[in-house]
Amino acid sequence: MRHSISLSLLLAVFWLLNSGYYTPLLLFLGAVSVALVMFISHRMDMVDHESQPLHLTLRIPGYWLWLLKAIILANVDVVYRIWRGNSSISPTRFVLKASQRTDIVKVIYANSITLTPGTVAIDLEGDTITVHALTRKAVEELKSGVMERRVNLLEL
Amino acid sequence: MEIMIDLLLNIGSGILLILGGFFCVSGGVGLLRFPDFYTRMHAAGVTDTLGAGLILVGLMLQSTHLIVLLKLILVLLFALLTGPAASHALAKAAMHGNLKPLLYRDKSTR
Amino acid sequence: MLIGVAAAILIVMMLALIRAFIGPTLYDRILAVNMFGTKTVLLIAVLGFLTARPDFLDIALAYALINFISIIGVLRFFEYNRPNFTDGNHD
């Protein structure tokens, strides 16, 4: 139930933000649209703790801040290697263990790997992630488990 | 006082825009320069995350209406949410299409 | 400043187009087109500020969604119906 409420609130805010007109007719049309989308997503059976991860709400902003820092550092490194040329890169493909218990945190981990330039999660099967990395340094950084520990904090 | 804040906002936004432009161009150069598809993907990641992010935050500092600011945040959120999904789908499709990555070890033994 | 950024984005779009033309694999082309699309979103947003018409942001938002859906759609298509005109080092 609280997942439905959160999804409809989200959709309503999205409508109000994008419309910018607050006349009765348009507000009514917005309410109809929200109801329609709610009906469709219930039929698709996708209103649950995975599409609306409310249990993460309190912990996710801190993680985003940490991820932002990681993204900026990774970007600077990749840009440096772009200008240095191909001799400075050492592309590697390797398999990483995902020790997370829940699927959603596993997906957050894989997506964070993809979002930081220099590493891309190619495949996620069971509890192994196939990663392609631009440099050996990025491989070492992922294997050292700094990001994994940070992601695991979401699960506590 | 107000003029000071305006000036600071303009300078800040200018710096962010220039930096964003630089990161975008770097990503574009990497897209042409890197040796194979998988490495080029990392270059595209640079323009999609920090390049787009810096330019959009730079525009945010220049926005005069609240709704414009909120819409810029929405565009940034979309970019950050759809970016990894698209590059993951692309990498997975390439791997299932049997496109072999150029690996570091290959180069040294050749 | 805005004009400079718009020029930088146009340069990146040109670089992406070159990559889309020379390939060599299908995935390089899709990657380049995806990057072209995300840069178009940025260009529309910057142009909105340049011409002082922030309503352009709605178009940018819609374009971001269309770009994402179309890339996923094209990838789905090529993952399951692989045509025989792909070049590069496929086996």
Side-chain angles (χ1 to χ4, degrees):
Chain A
M1 189 59 209
R2 60 207 180 97
H3 297 126
S4 304
I5 294 173
S6 111
L7 181 59
S8 40
L9 270 179
L10 213 66
L11 288 169
V13 169
F14 188 66
W15 173 281
L16 291 176
L17 242 168
N18 275 305
S19 123
Y21 291 95
Y22 305 112
T23 58
L25 175 68
L26 282 166
L27 287 178
F28 170 72
L29 288 178
V32 171
S33 308
V34 170
L36 184 67
V37 174
M38 286 305 293
F39 171 68
I40 294 173
S41 33
H42 267 289
R43 264 188 71 105
M44 289 170 74
D45 198 20
M46 49 169 269
V47 188
D48 52 19
H49 64 282
E50 286 197 333
S51 73
Q52 301 291 315
L54 292 173
H55 56 287
L56 296 178
T57 313
L58 286 178
R59 292 193 212 113
I60 207 84
Y63 179 68
W64 278 346
L65 277 181
W66 179 84
L67 188 62
L68 183 69
K69 196 195 84 195
I71 287 175
I72 292 174
L73 290 179
N75 264 296
V76 170
D77 185 60
V78 173
V79 166
Y80 169 73
R81 278 158 210 282
I82 286 173
W83 292 107
R84 272 286 304 279
N86 287 345
S87 58
S88 62
I89 62 171
S90 42
T92 313
R93 190 169 65 177
F94 65 104
V95 174
L96 198 67
K97 263 261 179 265
S99 58
Q100 288 77 22
R101 270 176 292 122
T102 50
D103 282 348
I104 180 155
V105 180
K106 240 180 244 176
V107 170
I108 290 176
Y109 185 37
N111 258 341
S112 309
I113 292 174
T114 310
L115 199 54
T116 45
T119 48
V120 171
I122 304 178
D123 223 337
L124 171 59
E125 254 177 74
D127 52 359
T128 58
I129 306 176
T130 312
V131 181
H132 184 279
L134 186 63
T135 60
R136 280 289 155 87
K137 199 180 134 216
V139 178
E140 296 310 317
E141 232 170 82
L142 264 186
K143 279 192 174 162
S144 73
V146 181
M147 180 183 263
E148 193 178 11
R149 271 196 294 281
R150 197 65 193 75
V151 172
N152 285 347
L153 286 183
L154 291 174
E155 239 178 4
L156 291 177
Chain B
M1 194 58 211
E2 220 162 74
I3 298 171
M4 270 299 282
I5 292 173
D6 259 16
L7 189 69
L8 279 179
L9 276 182
N10 271 331
I11 292 174
S13 131
I15 292 172
L16 288 177
L17 286 175
I18 289 174
L19 270 176
F22 169 72
F23 274 96
C24 278
V25 173
S26 303
V29 170
L31 191 71
L32 281 185
R33 214 171 169 190
F34 277 162
D36 82 323
F37 164 74
Y38 292 96
T39 46
R40 281 173 207 141
M41 215 161 49
H42 301 301
V46 172
T47 64
D48 282 351
T49 55
L50 206 55
L54 284 174
I55 290 181
L56 287 173
V57 174
L59 290 180
M60 277 175 209
L61 294 185
Q62 287 196 15
S63 58
T64 44
H65 295 86
L66 182 67
I67 201 145
V68 173
L69 179 75
L70 291 174
K71 273 182 189 166
L72 280 171
I73 293 175
L74 265 186
V75 173
L76 182 60
L77 265 181
F78 273 140
L80 290 181
L81 288 178
T82 58
S87 44
H88 166 73
L90 200 55
K92 198 172 174 184
M95 202 178 76
H96 288 188
N98 284 326
L99 183 68
K100 299 270 183 297
L102 198 69
L103 296 179
Y104 184 54
R105 205 174 287 125
D106 301 353
K107 267 196 297 191
S108 54
T109 51
R110 204 175 281 159
Chain C
M1 201 62 66
L2 285 170
I3 294 178
V5 171
I9 295 173
L10 281 173
I11 291 171
V12 180
M13 288 167 85
M14 205 181 63
L15 295 174
L17 267 191
I18 295 173
R19 178 48 81 195
F21 272 116
I22 61 178
T25 65
L26 174 74
Y27 305 106
D28 285 295
R29 293 177 213 271
I30 299 178
L31 179 69
V33 170
N34 182 25
M35 192 162 145
F36 189 82
T38 53
K39 292 298 93 72
T40 311
V41 175
L42 282 185
L43 185 67
I44 296 173
V46 172
L47 283 184
F49 274 78
L50 206 58
T51 54
R53 287 176 64 187
D55 354 340
F56 274 36
L57 282 175
D58 295 327
I59 306 170
L61 216 50
Y63 198 91
L65 287 174
I66 293 171
N67 182 49
F68 176 63
I69 300 289
S70 61
I71 291 296
I72 296 295
V74 167
L75 279 174
R76 280 310 248 199
F77 178 75
F78 281 112
E79 227 179 328
Y80 295 111
N81 319 281
R82 187 157 295 111
N84 45 16
F85 57 74
T86 53
D87 41 9
N89 51 352
H90 287 271
D91 28 25

